[in-house]
Amino acid sequence: MDFSGKDNFMPCNNEAQRLSRLLKHCNVRMFQGNGHTILLESGVNLLSTIKTTQMYRHSSKYDVFKDFLPISMTEFKTSPLENWWYRLCIGTAVFSTMEDGKIVRGLAGIPDKGPVLVVGNHMLWGFDAFSVVLEFLREKKITLHGLAHPEIYQIRVEDEFIMIPYTDAVKILGAIPVSPRNLFRLLSRNSYALLYPGGARESLHRKGEAYKLFWPDKEEFVRMAVKLGATIIPFGAVGEDDLSELIIDYNDMKKIPFFDQKVNEYNQGRTNLREGMGGEIAQQPLHIPIFLPKLPGRYYFLFGKPIQTKGKEHMLDDKNYLRELYMQIKCDVEKNIDYLLTKREDDPYRGIVERFMWLMNCGSLDQIPSFEP
């Protein structure tokens, strides 16, 4: 059930809450900026609402694979992530590596057939995943299924007005709750999967930890990729430090009683995917760092040379091979990060002012130049 936040004809909020108590399996959604004729107004897509509330399904229980509908062109074009000002601020510049090792602008180095497992580093907040998924849709017309933290799908009532726009975008773009079973189901369907081994620990890193990897010691995903013959593509991402500067991180919060209490309360009953593991990877409590916004710089992504595992199924019991492959992937991600950190200094359009001038002169957000690879 949808209701408007600015309906001047009737008290929609009260009526929606009353009906939700009478109707079984009723999901209430508020559109704060809309009025009485909500379905006739811009910014409201009924198809998207039906999909994100999981009301479209083939059985009584929603299945994230069987009931998933790829994003439509209308949903794609009207997505808040496709707004010109958002794309201008982020300024995503994507590079990929061909089979011969040549680095090119765009995604020409990405295989046209799955299964493909894209593995890389998370930047602060984890919003970089949106840029990666949207670039795959825009250029390759491929749905890249991000493996996301399960808490994204479990919104508390007190958080819903803040989190719903974010979780809606995650669901529409094809994100799947991260788990070994779901990764197996994706790759066995010859799909494209996006995995961040560092998870919440990387996306909620502390001061001085930008672009540092926090990966588990065990080869969590390599064995499955080899078993299913997936092509692994390691990538590096940089640019979040151009958008914000951490003021109070998790370590600071633990020293301040008020913040420490709030973090503990927020994590009460929530899922810690790496609970029981040793090392830093287990230290990933969910929290909201306090940061200072900065004049936007630019996001950069470099997808490394594809690593083929097809035909290596007989190596599944070779621990040395799996370990070496895991370390190769991690090393490639770190090399890609270092490459981007160096090369972005030569980008004449790294700043938002320069990109805005390009947009005014050339009128396209798809062709803003960057450094020469």
Side-chain angles (χ1 to χ4, degrees):
M1 177 187 300
D2 300 341
F3 75 93
S4 305
K6 294 183 178 179
D7 191 335
N8 296 321
F9 287 90
M10 63 181 296
C12 286
N13 192 348
N14 295 337
E15 182 66 9
Q17 298 303 327
R18 185 184 72 83
L19 292 175
S20 68
R21 292 190 293 268
L22 298 175
L23 301 174
K24 292 183 178 180
H25 312 297
C26 182
N27 192 311
V28 178
R29 308 297 295 276
M30 182 181 74
F31 292 82
Q32 183 66 49
N34 294 93
H36 187 69
T37 57
I38 181 172
L39 297 182
L40 300 178
E41 299 174 14
S42 62
V44 178
N45 189 312
L46 184 58
L47 172 62
S48 299
T49 303
I50 293 172
K51 289 164 63 173
T52 55
T53 53
Q54 301 179 352
M55 298 304 292
Y56 172 84
R57 53 180 182 263
H58 292 85
S59 61
S60 60
K61 187 176 181 180
Y62 182 83
D63 187 289
V64 292
F65 291 92
K66 295 179 181 179
D67 297 325
F68 172 70
L69 287 176
I71 187 171
S72 67
M73 188 57 64
T74 300
E75 288 176 306
F76 181 73
K77 290 182 177 180
T78 57
S79 169
L81 301 173
E82 278 296 291
N83 284 336
W84 70 269
W85 56 265
Y86 177 83
R87 292 185 61 191
L88 181 68
C89 289
I90 299 300
T92 304
V94 176
F95 302 85
S96 60
T97 309
M98 307 300 289
E99 287 289 347
D100 60 1
K102 181 181 179 180
I103 298 176
V104 298
R105 182 76 186 268
L107 296 174
I110 303 297
D112 293 324
K113 294 183 179 180
V116 171
L117 179 59
V118 182
V119 183
N121 66 298
H122 244 327
M123 293 191 286
L124 188 64
W125 300 104
F127 291 137
D128 48 282
F130 288 121
S131 297
V132 176
V133 173
L134 289 170
E135 287 300 319
F136 269 73
L137 280 170
R138 189 177 295 115
E139 183 174 340
K140 302 287 287 186
K141 305 298 186 292
I142 289 173
T143 298
L144 178 62
H145 295 276
L147 289 153
H149 198 292
E151 285 294 334
I152 292 176
Y153 302 84
Q154 300 172 13
I155 309 173
R156 295 179 180 181
V157 175
E158 57 269 26
D159 303 327
E160 62 179 0
F161 297 130
I162 299 174
M163 293 299 295
I164 278 177
Y166 174 67
T167 56
D168 278 1
V170 168
K171 293 173 184 176
I172 289 174
L173 292 173
I176 305 293
V178 62
S179 71
R181 182 172 181 268
N182 284 343
L183 177 58
F184 178 85
R185 294 178 71 185
L186 277 174
L187 298 182
S188 62
R189 286 169 165 77
N190 294 326
S191 299
Y192 288 65
L194 172 63
L195 179 66
Y196 293 97
R201 180 60 182 87
E202 256 176 32
S203 64
L204 297 174
H205 60 251
R206 327 308 188 218
K207 295 176 184 176
E209 294 179 348
Y211 312 125
K212 182 179 179 180
L213 301 187
F214 291 94
W215 288 20
D217 294 330
K218 295 183 179 180
E219 309 86 30
E220 292 182 314
F221 59 89
V222 170
R223 176 181 291 274
M224 193 174 300
V226 173
K227 181 181 179 69
L228 296 172
T231 300
I232 302 174
I233 302 177
F235 78 92
V238 305
E240 61 86 10
D241 61 330
D242 289 338
L243 301 175
S244 62
E245 181 178 352
L246 278 174
I247 302 300
I248 299 179
D249 63 8
Y250 176 72
N251 293 336
D252 296 326
M253 290 181 175
K254 295 301 291 182
K255 299 174 184 177
I256 304 173
F258 173 78
F259 286 115
D260 185 36
Q261 179 183 352
K262 292 299 181 182
V263 170
N264 292 334
E265 290 176 356
Y266 187 74
N267 282 273
Q268 199 71 269
R270 293 188 182 272
T271 303
N272 184 340
L273 296 176
R274 309 299 173 87
E275 189 174 6
M277 290 188 177
E280 278 293 323
I281 192 63
Q283 306 301 317
Q284 54 173 355
L286 302 179
H287 62 285
I288 302 177
I290 297 176
F291 67 98
L292 179 67
K294 297 168 62 177
L295 192 65
R298 196 173 193 181
Y299 275 6
Y300 300 88
F301 298 89
L302 172 59
F303 295 88
K305 184 177 180 180
I307 301 173
Q308 305 291 341
T309 67
K310 190 173 183 180
K312 300 288 187 179
E313 294 83 355
H314 62 284
M315 305 288 285
L316 281 173
D317 295 327
D318 189 332
K319 294 183 179 179
N320 290 331
Y321 166 74
L322 295 177
R323 186 62 182 173
E324 289 175 4
L325 180 57
Y326 181 73
M327 295 308 297
Q328 177 190 346
I329 296 167
K330 186 177 181 180
C331 182
D332 285 351
V333 171
E334 292 174 330
K335 287 181 179 178
N336 292 338
I337 293 173
D338 291 338
Y339 175 88
L340 292 173
L341 289 174
T342 301
K343 295 291 289 185
R344 70 174 179 174
E345 299 297 330
D346 300 327
D347 183 4
Y349 295 95
R350 182 178 172 186
I352 188 173
V353 175
E354 290 77 10
R355 294 198 299 277
F356 181 75
M357 295 304 298
W358 167 271
L359 179 64
M360 292 297 98
N361 293 328
C362 302
S364 174
L365 286 167
D366 294 327
Q367 303 173 4
I368 298 180
S370 184
F371 60 79
E372 288 295 326

Short mmCIF file of all heavy atoms in Angstrom, two decimals, residues 16-66:
data_model
loop_
_atom_site.label_atom_id
_atom_site.label_comp_id
_atom_site.label_asym_id
_atom_site.label_seq_id
_atom_site.Cartn_x
_atom_site.Cartn_y
_atom_site.Cartn_z
N ALA A 16 -3.72 4.78 5.87
CA ALA A 16 -2.84 3.67 5.49
C ALA A 16 -2.56 2.77 6.69
O ALA A 16 -2.57 1.54 6.57
CB ALA A 16 -1.54 4.21 4.91
N GLN A 17 -2.31 3.36 7.84
CA GLN A 17 -2.05 2.57 9.03
C GLN A 17 -3.30 1.79 9.46
O GLN A 17 -3.19 0.64 9.91
CB GLN A 17 -1.59 3.48 10.18
CG GLN A 17 -0.28 4.22 9.91
CD GLN A 17 0.87 3.29 9.60
OE1 GLN A 17 0.95 2.17 10.13
NE2 GLN A 17 1.78 3.73 8.75
N ARG A 18 -4.47 2.39 9.30
CA ARG A 18 -5.71 1.70 9.66
C ARG A 18 -5.95 0.49 8.75
O ARG A 18 -6.26 -0.61 9.21
CB ARG A 18 -6.90 2.66 9.54
CG ARG A 18 -8.24 2.07 10.01
CD ARG A 18 -9.38 3.04 9.77
NE ARG A 18 -9.71 3.13 8.36
CZ ARG A 18 -10.50 2.26 7.70
NH1 ARG A 18 -11.02 1.23 8.35
NH2 ARG A 18 -10.75 2.43 6.42
N LEU A 19 -5.76 0.69 7.45
CA LEU A 19 -5.97 -0.41 6.49
C LEU A 19 -4.92 -1.51 6.66
O LEU A 19 -5.22 -2.69 6.46
CB LEU A 19 -5.94 0.13 5.07
CG LEU A 19 -7.11 1.04 4.67
CD1 LEU A 19 -6.90 1.60 3.28
CD2 LEU A 19 -8.43 0.27 4.75
N SER A 20 -3.70 -1.12 7.02
CA SER A 20 -2.65 -2.13 7.19
C SER A 20 -2.96 -3.08 8.34
O SER A 20 -2.53 -4.24 8.33
CB SER A 20 -1.30 -1.45 7.43
OG SER A 20 -1.28 -0.80 8.69
N ARG A 21 -3.74 -2.60 9.33
CA ARG A 21 -4.13 -3.47 10.44
C ARG A 21 -5.27 -4.41 10.05
O ARG A 21 -5.44 -5.45 10.68
CB ARG A 21 -4.54 -2.61 11.64
CG ARG A 21 -3.38 -1.84 12.28
CD ARG A 21 -3.78 -1.21 13.60
NE ARG A 21 -4.76 -0.14 13.40
CZ ARG A 21 -4.43 1.14 13.25
NH1 ARG A 21 -3.16 1.51 13.25
NH2 ARG A 21 -5.37 2.05 13.09
N LEU A 22 -5.99 -4.05 9.01
CA LEU A 22 -7.13 -4.88 8.57
C LEU A 22 -6.74 -5.88 7.49
O LEU A 22 -7.35 -6.96 7.39
CB LEU A 22 -8.25 -3.97 8.05
CG LEU A 22 -8.86 -2.99 9.05
CD1 LEU A 22 -9.88 -2.09 8.35
CD2 LEU A 22 -9.53 -3.74 10.21
N LEU A 23 -5.75 -5.53 6.68
CA LEU A 23 -5.37 -6.37 5.56
C LEU A 23 -4.19 -7.26 5.92
O LEU A 23 -3.23 -6.81 6.57
CB LEU A 23 -4.99 -5.50 4.35
CG LEU A 23 -6.09 -4.57 3.83
CD1 LEU A 23 -5.53 -3.67 2.74
CD2 LEU A 23 -7.28 -5.38 3.30
N LYS A 24 -4.23 -8.51 5.49
CA LYS A 24 -3.13 -9.44 5.75
C LYS A 24 -1.98 -9.15 4.78
O LYS A 24 -2.20 -8.81 3.62
CB LYS A 24 -3.60 -10.88 5.57
CG LYS A 24 -4.59 -11.35 6.62
CD LYS A 24 -4.94 -12.82 6.41
CE LYS A 24 -5.89 -13.32 7.49
NZ LYS A 24 -6.22 -14.77 7.28
N HIS A 25 -0.78 -9.35 5.27
CA HIS A 25 0.43 -9.22 4.45
C HIS A 25 0.48 -7.85 3.75
O HIS A 25 0.82 -7.75 2.57
CB HIS A 25 0.52 -10.33 3.41
CG HIS A 25 0.27 -11.70 3.96
ND1 HIS A 25 1.09 -12.27 4.92
CD2 HIS A 25 -0.72 -12.61 3.70
CE1 HIS A 25 0.62 -13.47 5.23
NE2 HIS A 25 -0.47 -13.70 4.51
N CYS A 26 0.12 -6.82 4.48
CA CYS A 26 0.09 -5.47 3.91
C CYS A 26 1.42 -4.77 4.16
O CYS A 26 1.91 -4.73 5.29
CB CYS A 26 -1.05 -4.66 4.51
SG CYS A 26 -1.20 -3.00 3.83
N ASN A 27 2.01 -4.21 3.10
CA ASN A 27 3.28 -3.50 3.20
C ASN A 27 3.02 -2.03 2.90
O ASN A 27 2.56 -1.69 1.81
CB ASN A 27 4.29 -4.08 2.20
CG ASN A 27 5.69 -3.58 2.45
OD1 ASN A 27 5.91 -2.39 2.60
ND2 ASN A 27 6.65 -4.50 2.49
N VAL A 28 3.28 -1.15 3.85
CA VAL A 28 2.99 0.27 3.70
C VAL A 28 4.25 1.02 3.26
O VAL A 28 5.31 0.87 3.86
CB VAL A 28 2.46 0.87 5.02
CG1 VAL A 28 2.21 2.37 4.87
CG2 VAL A 28 1.19 0.15 5.45
N ARG A 29 4.10 1.82 2.20
CA ARG A 29 5.22 2.63 1.72
C ARG A 29 4.78 4.08 1.61
O ARG A 29 3.71 4.37 1.06
CB ARG A 29 5.68 2.15 0.33
CG ARG A 29 5.98 0.67 0.25
CD ARG A 29 7.13 0.29 1.17
NE ARG A 29 8.37 0.88 0.76
CZ ARG A 29 9.18 0.36 -0.17
NH1 ARG A 29 8.84 -0.75 -0.80
NH2 ARG A 29 10.30 0.96 -0.48
N MET A 30 5.59 5.00 2.12
CA MET A 30 5.26 6.42 2.05
C MET A 30 6.14 7.12 1.01
O MET A 30 7.36 6.90 0.97
CB MET A 30 5.46 7.10 3.39
CG MET A 30 5.08 8.58 3.35
SD MET A 30 5.33 9.46 4.92
CE MET A 30 7.11 9.60 4.95
N PHE A 31 5.50 7.97 0.19
CA PHE A 31 6.21 8.81 -0.76
C PHE A 31 6.08 10.25 -0.26
O PHE A 31 5.07 10.91 -0.48
CB PHE A 31 5.62 8.64 -2.16
CG PHE A 31 5.87 7.28 -2.75
CD1 PHE A 31 5.07 6.19 -2.43
CD2 PHE A 31 6.95 7.08 -3.61
CE1 PHE A 31 5.32 4.94 -2.96
CE2 PHE A 31 7.21 5.83 -4.15
CZ PHE A 31 6.39 4.76 -3.82
N GLN A 32 7.13 10.70 0.41
CA GLN A 32 7.09 11.94 1.16
C GLN A 32 6.78 13.16 0.29
O GLN A 32 6.05 14.06 0.69
CB GLN A 32 8.43 12.16 1.87
CG GLN A 32 8.48 13.40 2.75
CD GLN A 32 7.54 13.32 3.94
OE1 GLN A 32 7.54 12.34 4.66
NE2 GLN A 32 6.74 14.36 4.14
N GLY A 33 7.33 13.21 -0.90
CA GLY A 33 7.19 14.41 -1.72
C GLY A 33 6.01 14.43 -2.66
O GLY A 33 5.88 15.37 -3.46
N ASN A 34 5.13 13.42 -2.60
CA ASN A 34 4.03 13.35 -3.55
C ASN A 34 2.70 13.75 -2.92
O ASN A 34 2.55 13.75 -1.70
CB ASN A 34 3.94 11.94 -4.14
CG ASN A 34 5.15 11.60 -5.00
OD1 ASN A 34 6.12 11.03 -4.52
ND2 ASN A 34 5.09 11.97 -6.26
N GLY A 35 1.70 14.05 -3.79
CA GLY A 35 0.41 14.51 -3.33
C GLY A 35 -0.70 13.49 -3.53
O GLY A 35 -0.46 12.29 -3.53
N HIS A 36 -1.92 13.99 -3.76
CA HIS A 36 -3.11 13.14 -3.80
C HIS A 36 -3.12 12.20 -5.00
O HIS A 36 -3.52 11.04 -4.88
CB HIS A 36 -4.36 14.03 -3.82
CG HIS A 36 -5.64 13.26 -3.70
ND1 HIS A 36 -6.01 12.61 -2.54
CD2 HIS A 36 -6.64 13.03 -4.60
CE1 HIS A 36 -7.18 12.01 -2.71
NE2 HIS A 36 -7.58 12.25 -3.96
N THR A 37 -2.69 12.66 -6.16
CA THR A 37 -2.70 11.82 -7.39
C THR A 37 -1.34 11.15 -7.55
O THR A 37 -0.64 11.34 -8.55
CB THR A 37 -3.02 12.69 -8.61
OG1 THR A 37 -2.06 13.76 -8.69
CG2 THR A 37 -4.43 13.25 -8.52
N ILE A 38 -0.99 10.33 -6.57
CA ILE A 38 0.37 9.78 -6.48
C ILE A 38 0.78 8.97 -7.71
O ILE A 38 1.91 9.08 -8.19
CB ILE A 38 0.52 8.94 -5.19
CG1 ILE A 38 1.95 8.39 -5.07
CG2 ILE A 38 -0.51 7.83 -5.13
CD1 ILE A 38 2.22 7.73 -3.75
N LEU A 39 -0.13 8.17 -8.27
CA LEU A 39 0.23 7.31 -9.39
C LEU A 39 0.34 8.07 -10.71
O LEU A 39 0.80 7.52 -11.71
CB LEU A 39 -0.79 6.18 -9.54
CG LEU A 39 -0.87 5.21 -8.36
CD1 LEU A 39 -1.88 4.11 -8.63
CD2 LEU A 39 0.51 4.59 -8.08
N LEU A 40 -0.08 9.33 -10.71
CA LEU A 40 0.03 10.15 -11.92
C LEU A 40 1.21 11.11 -11.85
O LEU A 40 1.47 11.84 -12.81
CB LEU A 40 -1.26 10.96 -12.12
CG LEU A 40 -2.56 10.15 -12.30
CD1 LEU A 40 -3.74 11.10 -12.44
CD2 LEU A 40 -2.46 9.24 -13.53
N GLU A 41 1.93 11.08 -10.75
CA GLU A 41 3.03 12.03 -10.55
C GLU A 41 4.37 11.41 -10.87
O GLU A 41 4.55 10.19 -10.82
CB GLU A 41 3.00 12.53 -9.10
CG GLU A 41 1.70 13.26 -8.74
CD GLU A 41 1.62 13.62 -7.27
OE1 GLU A 41 2.66 13.55 -6.60
OE2 GLU A 41 0.53 13.96 -6.80
N SER A 42 5.31 12.26 -11.23
CA SER A 42 6.65 11.79 -11.56
C SER A 42 7.37 11.31 -10.31
O SER A 42 7.06 11.73 -9.19
CB SER A 42 7.45 12.92 -12.21
OG SER A 42 7.59 14.01 -11.32
N GLY A 43 8.32 10.45 -10.51
CA GLY A 43 9.09 9.94 -9.39
C GLY A 43 8.50 8.74 -8.71
O GLY A 43 9.08 8.20 -7.76
N VAL A 44 7.32 8.27 -9.17
CA VAL A 44 6.68 7.09 -8.59
C VAL A 44 6.52 6.04 -9.68
O VAL A 44 5.84 6.28 -10.69
CB VAL A 44 5.31 7.43 -7.98
CG1 VAL A 44 4.64 6.17 -7.43
CG2 VAL A 44 5.47 8.46 -6.88
N ASN A 45 7.13 4.90 -9.50
CA ASN A 45 7.03 3.80 -10.45
C ASN A 45 6.38 2.62 -9.74
O ASN A 45 6.98 2.00 -8.87
CB ASN A 45 8.42 3.42 -10.98
CG ASN A 45 8.36 2.44 -12.13
OD1 ASN A 45 7.65 1.43 -12.07
ND2 ASN A 45 9.10 2.73 -13.19
N LEU A 46 5.14 2.32 -10.11
CA LEU A 46 4.39 1.26 -9.43
C LEU A 46 5.05 -0.09 -9.61
O LEU A 46 5.08 -0.91 -8.68
CB LEU A 46 2.95 1.22 -9.96
CG LEU A 46 2.01 0.21 -9.29
CD1 LEU A 46 1.91 0.49 -7.79
CD2 LEU A 46 0.63 0.25 -9.92
N LEU A 47 5.62 -0.34 -10.80
CA LEU A 47 6.31 -1.61 -11.05
C LEU A 47 7.47 -1.79 -10.08
O LEU A 47 7.65 -2.87 -9.50
CB LEU A 47 6.81 -1.67 -12.49
CG LEU A 47 7.71 -2.86 -12.85
CD1 LEU A 47 6.95 -4.17 -12.67
CD2 LEU A 47 8.23 -2.73 -14.27
N SER A 48 8.24 -0.75 -9.88
CA SER A 48 9.37 -0.82 -8.95
C SER A 48 8.91 -1.12 -7.53
O SER A 48 9.53 -1.91 -6.82
CB SER A 48 10.16 0.50 -8.97
OG SER A 48 10.68 0.76 -10.25
N THR A 49 7.82 -0.48 -7.12
CA THR A 49 7.30 -0.70 -5.77
C THR A 49 6.86 -2.13 -5.59
O THR A 49 7.14 -2.75 -4.55
CB THR A 49 6.12 0.26 -5.49
OG1 THR A 49 6.55 1.61 -5.69
CG2 THR A 49 5.62 0.10 -4.07
N ILE A 50 6.17 -2.68 -6.58
CA ILE A 50 5.72 -4.08 -6.50
C ILE A 50 6.92 -5.01 -6.40
O ILE A 50 6.92 -5.97 -5.61
CB ILE A 50 4.86 -4.44 -7.72
CG1 ILE A 50 3.53 -3.65 -7.68
CG2 ILE A 50 4.58 -5.94 -7.78
CD1 ILE A 50 2.70 -3.80 -8.92
N LYS A 51 7.96 -4.74 -7.17
CA LYS A 51 9.14 -5.60 -7.17
C LYS A 51 9.90 -5.52 -5.85
O LYS A 51 10.31 -6.55 -5.29
CB LYS A 51 10.05 -5.23 -8.35
CG LYS A 51 9.49 -5.62 -9.70
CD LYS A 51 10.19 -4.91 -10.84
CE LYS A 51 11.65 -5.26 -10.93
NZ LYS A 51 12.26 -4.67 -12.15
N THR A 52 10.11 -4.31 -5.35
CA THR A 52 10.93 -4.15 -4.15
C THR A 52 10.22 -4.61 -2.88
O THR A 52 10.88 -4.93 -1.89
CB THR A 52 11.37 -2.68 -3.98
OG1 THR A 52 10.21 -1.85 -3.97
CG2 THR A 52 12.28 -2.27 -5.11
N THR A 53 8.89 -4.63 -2.89
CA THR A 53 8.16 -5.14 -1.72
C THR A 53 7.93 -6.64 -1.82
O THR A 53 7.26 -7.22 -0.97
CB THR A 53 6.80 -4.43 -1.58
OG1 THR A 53 6.08 -4.53 -2.81
CG2 THR A 53 6.99 -2.97 -1.22
N GLN A 54 8.48 -7.24 -2.88
CA GLN A 54 8.42 -8.70 -3.08
C GLN A 54 6.99 -9.22 -3.21
O GLN A 54 6.71 -10.37 -2.88
CB GLN A 54 9.15 -9.42 -1.94
CG GLN A 54 10.61 -9.01 -1.81
CD GLN A 54 11.34 -9.70 -0.68
OE1 GLN A 54 10.73 -10.40 0.14
NE2 GLN A 54 12.64 -9.55 -0.63
N MET A 55 6.10 -8.37 -3.71
CA MET A 55 4.72 -8.79 -3.95
C MET A 55 4.59 -9.57 -5.25
O MET A 55 3.62 -10.31 -5.44
CB MET A 55 3.80 -7.57 -3.97
CG MET A 55 3.77 -6.79 -2.66
SD MET A 55 3.31 -7.79 -1.23
CE MET A 55 1.60 -8.16 -1.60
N TYR A 56 5.56 -9.40 -6.17
CA TYR A 56 5.57 -10.22 -7.38
C TYR A 56 6.35 -11.48 -7.08
O TYR A 56 7.56 -11.44 -6.82
CB TYR A 56 6.21 -9.47 -8.55
CG TYR A 56 6.41 -10.35 -9.77
CD1 TYR A 56 5.37 -10.54 -10.67
CD2 TYR A 56 7.61 -11.01 -9.99
CE1 TYR A 56 5.53 -11.37 -11.78
CE2 TYR A 56 7.77 -11.84 -11.08
CZ TYR A 56 6.74 -12.02 -11.97
OH TYR A 56 6.90 -12.84 -13.06
N ARG A 57 5.68 -12.63 -7.10
CA ARG A 57 6.34 -13.90 -6.83
C ARG A 57 5.50 -15.04 -7.38
O ARG A 57 4.31 -14.90 -7.63
CB ARG A 57 6.57 -14.08 -5.33
CG ARG A 57 5.33 -13.92 -4.45
CD ARG A 57 5.67 -14.11 -2.98
NE ARG A 57 4.51 -14.01 -2.12
CZ ARG A 57 4.16 -12.91 -1.47
NH1 ARG A 57 4.89 -11.82 -1.60
NH2 ARG A 57 3.08 -12.89 -0.70
N HIS A 58 6.14 -16.17 -7.57
CA HIS A 58 5.48 -17.33 -8.16
C HIS A 58 4.86 -18.26 -7.13
O HIS A 58 4.13 -19.17 -7.48
CB HIS A 58 6.48 -18.12 -9.01
CG HIS A 58 6.92 -17.39 -10.25
ND1 HIS A 58 7.96 -16.48 -10.25
CD2 HIS A 58 6.44 -17.42 -11.52
CE1 HIS A 58 8.12 -16.00 -11.46
NE2 HIS A 58 7.22 -16.54 -12.25
N SER A 59 5.18 -18.03 -5.87
CA SER A 59 4.65 -18.88 -4.81
C SER A 59 4.43 -18.02 -3.57
O SER A 59 4.60 -16.80 -3.60
CB SER A 59 5.61 -20.03 -4.49
OG SER A 59 6.85 -19.54 -4.04
N SER A 60 4.03 -18.64 -2.47
CA SER A 60 3.76 -17.89 -1.25
C SER A 60 5.02 -17.28 -0.65
O SER A 60 4.95 -16.31 0.11
CB SER A 60 3.10 -18.80 -0.21
OG SER A 60 3.95 -19.90 0.10
N LYS A 61 6.19 -17.82 -0.99
CA LYS A 61 7.45 -17.32 -0.47
C LYS A 61 8.29 -16.76 -1.59
O LYS A 61 8.45 -17.38 -2.64
CB LYS A 61 8.21 -18.44 0.26
CG LYS A 61 9.46 -17.95 0.98
CD LYS A 61 10.12 -19.09 1.75
CE LYS A 61 11.36 -18.59 2.48
NZ LYS A 61 12.03 -19.68 3.24
N TYR A 62 8.84 -15.57 -1.37
CA TYR A 62 9.64 -14.90 -2.40
C TYR A 62 10.98 -15.59 -2.56
O TYR A 62 11.64 -15.94 -1.58
CB TYR A 62 9.85 -13.43 -2.02
CG TYR A 62 10.63 -12.64 -3.05
CD1 TYR A 62 9.99 -12.10 -4.16
CD2 TYR A 62 11.99 -12.43 -2.91
CE1 TYR A 62 10.70 -11.37 -5.11
CE2 TYR A 62 12.71 -11.71 -3.84
CZ TYR A 62 12.06 -11.18 -4.94
OH TYR A 62 12.77 -10.47 -5.88
N ASP A 63 11.39 -15.82 -3.81
CA ASP A 63 12.68 -16.42 -4.13
C ASP A 63 13.50 -15.39 -4.88
O ASP A 63 13.09 -14.93 -5.96
CB ASP A 63 12.50 -17.68 -4.98
CG ASP A 63 13.81 -18.43 -5.19
OD1 ASP A 63 14.66 -17.92 -5.93
OD2 ASP A 63 13.97 -19.53 -4.63
N VAL A 64 14.67 -15.03 -4.35
CA VAL A 64 15.46 -13.95 -4.94
C VAL A 64 15.96 -14.28 -6.34
O VAL A 64 16.35 -13.38 -7.09
CB VAL A 64 16.67 -13.60 -4.04
CG1 VAL A 64 16.21 -12.97 -2.74
CG2 VAL A 64 17.53 -14.82 -3.77
N PHE A 65 15.95 -15.57 -6.71
CA PHE A 65 16.40 -15.95 -8.04
C PHE A 65 15.21 -16.13 -9.00
O PHE A 65 15.15 -15.50 -10.06
CB PHE A 65 17.20 -17.25 -7.97
CG PHE A 65 18.53 -17.09 -7.29
CD1 PHE A 65 18.66 -17.32 -5.93
CD2 PHE A 65 19.65 -16.71 -8.00
CE1 PHE A 65 19.88 -17.16 -5.30
CE2 PHE A 65 20.87 -16.55 -7.39
CZ PHE A 65 20.98 -16.77 -6.03
N LYS A 66 14.27 -16.96 -8.62
CA LYS A 66 13.15 -17.27 -9.51
C LYS A 66 12.24 -16.06 -9.73
O LYS A 66 11.64 -15.92 -10.80
CB LYS A 66 12.33 -18.43 -8.93
CG LYS A 66 13.08 -19.75 -8.87
CD LYS A 66 12.22 -20.83 -8.26
CE LYS A 66 12.97 -22.15 -8.18
NZ LYS A 66 12.14 -23.22 -7.55
#
